Amino acid sequence: MNGMIPLDLRLLRGTLLAALQEDVGPGDITTRSTVPLDALGMAKIVAKQPLIVAGIPVVAEIMHLVDPALQFARPVVDGAAVETGTVLGEITGRARSLLVAERTILNLLQRMSGIATLTGRYVEQVQGTKARIVDTRKTVPGLRVLDKYAVACGGGMNHRVGLFDGVLIKNNHLAFQSSPAHAIRAARRQLGHLVKIEIEVHYLDELLDVIEAGADVVLLDNFTPELTRQAVDIAGGRVPLESSGGITLENVRAYADAGVDYISIGALTHSVPAVDIHMRIAPWTER
């Protein structure tokens, strides 16, 4: 497990510029034809429901890319739980610039805060246990860093970022090995001693074999809570255990109570609903 992915906005500029270009293209013809060139505006970004905030630095970076002269006041920080009506930010400057950036800002802020909010609900469900809520690679292509950062804002933990920074041996890998234990040994021969190896198991009788073969973490795939409890007893604390597959807000507590260390949930990022955030722009007179 990799803790929290850092949000390096310099590395994200290409992604944010592509998002802006997708929306704006050669120019915002509506704004150009209806808003005077010298008009100033103030935009208020307001939460329309209770939520956990994620993406405020992203908003600031988008504004800078559109127009470095825009001024952004941020009364809240990422990870804050806010109520309906909370002002998340105020932006002042050229009205045309505000209108050009509006949809890209909202699309990303609503999605990221949606991920953080849903993650926070899962985290709340497992309070008092040792289980940590963990994300997966089931993210929107091109937005993985933002998706995983948002999970961390909601109190979750990041799993590997991609195929390059962690070993997770799954069914499709095992198709080319005679057994899970052989797969672990094959991986260990190719990797340095500092690289951890996680392997997926589907049956209780595989568990001891992979532990004895040197697995560092074992993923219990689609186990029931009762089978998970038995797996925890068999493992006896020798390796961390991760539950995955079929886990919902309704049953996540049962998995946490079974004693696993991690619970990974693809729904945090692959099918999360965006939260309701509103951006209202009005004329503004510079003081």
Side-chain angles (χ1 to χ4, degrees):
M1 305 300 162
N2 297 322
M4 178 177 177
I5 188 170
L7 188 66
D8 189 335
L9 292 170
R10 295 169 300 175
L11 299 179
L12 289 169
R13 281 175 189 158
T15 298
L16 300 181
L17 282 169
L20 285 165
Q21 180 61 32
E22 176 183 62
D23 194 35
V24 180
D28 177 356
I29 58 176
T30 307
T31 296
R32 242 178 5 213
S33 61
T34 60
V35 178
L37 183 61
D38 60 352
L40 299 177
M42 171 184 282
K44 282 192 177 184
I45 304 171
V46 181
K48 302 296 284 184
Q49 66 176 84
L51 56 87
I52 296 176
V53 181
I56 296 298
V58 176
V59 173
E61 183 66 15
I62 292 170
M63 282 297 170
H64 180 77
L65 291 172
V66 170
D67 183 349
L70 291 171
Q71 299 296 310
F72 182 31
R74 359 179 170 180
V76 300
V77 296
D78 283 352
V82 303
E83 296 300 322
T84 302
T86 301
V87 176
L88 307 182
E90 290 186 352
I91 309 159
T92 53
R94 297 182 183 91
R96 287 190 175 189
S97 299
L98 297 173
L99 288 157
V100 164
E102 175 187 10
R103 180 44 52 194
T104 302
I105 284 172
L106 287 176
N107 284 347
L108 291 174
L109 189 60
Q110 288 174 324
R111 175 176 172 80
M112 292 178 69
S113 296
I115 291 170
T117 301
L118 181 59
T119 302
R121 293 177 67 191
Y122 275 97
V123 169
E124 185 177 8
Q125 286 293 97
V126 303
Q127 285 296 321
T129 73
K130 69 174 182 177
R132 296 289 305 273
I133 299 299
V134 180
D135 57 24
T136 71
R137 287 165 45 240
K138 297 175 183 177
T139 56
V140 172
L143 297 184
R144 180 166 296 172
V145 170
L146 297 182
D147 283 359
K148 284 181 168 284
Y149 170 80
V151 166
C153 288
M157 186 175 181
N158 296 141
H159 209 289
R160 58 181 179 165
V161 178
L163 296 174
F164 53 86
D165 68 331
V167 174
L168 175 50
I169 302 170
K170 305 186 77 173
N171 259 358
N172 287 332
H173 305 103
L174 294 173
F176 300 91
Q177 293 288 330
S178 59
S179 72
H182 286 159
I184 293 169
R185 295 186 184 106
R188 183 58 69 198
R189 285 194 295 270
Q190 299 293 323
L191 300 167
H193 67 286
L194 296 180
V195 178
K196 287 189 175 183
I197 296 175
E198 181 173 10
I199 189 164
E200 180 180 277
V201 299
H202 301 87
Y203 307 101
L204 280 176
D205 58 11
E206 297 174 324
L207 185 54
L208 279 178
D209 286 345
V210 301
I211 292 174
E212 290 169 0
D216 297 297
V217 184
V218 179
L219 187 153
L220 310 174
D221 186 57
N222 282 296
F223 277 41
T224 64
E226 178 53 36
L227 284 175
T228 301
R229 193 177 298 274
Q230 292 179 47
V232 169
D233 290 341
I234 291 169
R238 283 174 287 180
V239 297
L241 298 179
E242 175 184 342
S243 288
S244 186
I247 296 168
T248 66
L249 280 168
E250 288 68 37
N251 65 20
V252 67
R253 181 70 191 206
Y255 285 92
D257 285 338
V260 293
D261 302 275
Y262 307 107
I263 301 174
S264 56
I265 302 165
L268 297 180
T269 54
H270 73 56
S271 56
V272 65
V275 291
D276 191 2
I277 297 174
H278 166 103
M279 182 169 168
R280 180 70 68 192
I281 303 172
W284 177 67
T285 303
E286 194 169 13
R287 294 188 182 93

